[in-house]
Amino acid sequence: MRKPIIAGNWKMNKTPEEARELVAALVPAVKDADCDVVVCVPATDFAAVKEAAQGSNIHLGAQNVHFARSGAYTGELSADMLKACGVEYVVIGHSERRQYFGETDKTVNLRVRAAVEAGLIPIICVGELKDERESGYTDTIVEYQTLMALHGLTDEQIKNAVIAYEPVWAIGTGLTATDEQANETIGVIRKAVARKYGQEVADAVRVQYGGSMNPKNVKGLMAQPEIDGGLIGGASLKAPDFTQVVLYNK
C-alpha cells in the first residue's frame, strides 16, 4: 500500500513571520493525519518553518534546486544547501518554472538526479497544456516528461520519488480535471513507469494530483485508486483549507 502524501506549494508567498504563524496553526490541526504532510516554502522561510514544525509530522520542502553542487550560479541553491537547512522534499519541474524560467525536461532530470544523490525526495511535476489535451497529446506529453525526469535513477530511487501530475490548464485557474480524468492520466504515468522499470517500481512510486485540489474536490479525487495525494497551491496558504485537504478521510 502506498502512503498518501499531501504537499503544500506556497509559491512566492509568506514572510518568515507569516510562515511561522501558519505552521503553528497547522501543527495541532494535522497531527492525526494518515498521510505524509509537506510544506514546500520559499527559502527565506526555511528556518521559521523548521522551528515551528519541530517535533511534528510536518515535513519541510523547497520549491526548486540547482543541479550543480556549487559554482558560479548566482541566486541558485544546491541540494546540499537545502539538506543543511533541514529540507527533506523538493518540487522540481513545476510548470511555472518551465514557463517563466526556462526549465526543460533535460534540466528537470539533472535537478532530480542532484536531489536524490543528496538524499532529498523529489516531487517531480509533469502535465500538459490545454491545447495539448484538446489535441489528444496528454498521454504522450506526460509519459515523455515522466521518463525523461527519471532517466538515470535506480529502481530504489524511483520508488522513493513522488510524481505530481498537474494539468497546466488547471493550475491557479480554479479549473480542475474530473476525478476520472485525473485518475486515468495518473494511470498512464504509472503504466509508463511499469514498462520502463517494471511493475514493482510502478506500484511503489507515489503519484499526486495537482491543479486546484481543494477542500471541495479532495474527497472525490482521493477516492480514485491511482491518486496518492495532492500538490496543493492556493489552498495550502490558509490553515483551515489545508487542514481539510490533509484530513480528507476524517
Side-chain angles (χ1 to χ4, degrees), residues 114-166:
V116 299
E117 286 167 10
L120 299 172
I121 299 174
I123 299 175
I124 305 163
C125 298
V126 301
E128 82 283 13
L129 301 170
K130 186 177 181 182
D131 62 343
E132 291 169 340
R133 171 168 281 275
E134 292 175 345
S135 300
Y137 290 110
T138 294
D139 293 2
T140 302
I141 295 295
V142 299
E143 287 180 8
Y144 179 78
Q145 289 181 343
T146 298
L147 295 180
M148 276 292 292
L150 299 178
H151 178 71
L153 271 59
T154 68
D155 288 358
E156 289 306 312
Q157 287 171 332
I158 295 171
K159 288 179 183 179
N160 196 45
V162 178
I163 300 169
Y165 166 56
E166 292 202 314

Side-chain angles (χ1 to χ4, degrees), residues 149-218:
L150 299 178
H151 178 71
L153 271 59
T154 68
D155 288 358
E156 289 306 312
Q157 287 171 332
I158 295 171
K159 288 179 183 179
N160 196 45
V162 178
I163 300 169
Y165 166 56
E166 292 202 314
V168 179
W169 48 269
I171 298 172
T173 63
L175 301 173
T176 186
T178 66
D179 300 348
E180 293 75 20
Q181 284 175 325
N183 188 69
E184 179 182 4
T185 304
I186 288 176
V188 168
I189 292 169
R190 202 177 304 282
K191 287 175 184 174
V193 175
R195 285 196 301 273
K196 179 73 172 179
Y197 298 100
Q199 194 62 51
E200 181 184 347
V201 175
D203 287 341
V205 69
R206 294 184 290 181
V207 189
Q208 301 173 309
Y209 174 72
S212 299
M213 183 185 275
N214 58 57
K216 294 181 180 178
N217 60 28
V218 63

Side-chain angles (χ1 to χ4, degrees), residues 20-75:
R20 186 177 290 106
E21 291 176 4
L22 176 52
V23 173
L26 287 173
V27 166
V30 304
K31 62 182 177 61
D32 295 323
D34 295 324
C35 59
D36 286 334
V37 183
V38 184
V39 288
C40 299
V41 309
T44 50
D45 295 341
F46 288 166
V49 170
K50 184 181 178 184
E51 180 184 355
Q54 190 74 34
S56 77
N57 61 332
I58 297 175
H59 301 272
L60 176 60
Q63 298 174 18
N64 191 31
V65 62
H66 198 264
F67 42 79
R69 296 193 69 172
S70 63
Y73 302 102
T74 301

Side-chain angles (χ1 to χ4, degrees), residues 211-235:
S212 299
M213 183 185 275
N214 58 57
K216 294 181 180 178
N217 60 28
V218 63
K219 287 185 182 294
L221 288 164
M222 290 301 295
Q224 298 296 316
E226 296 287 359
I227 299 178
D228 301 319
L231 183 58
I232 317 301

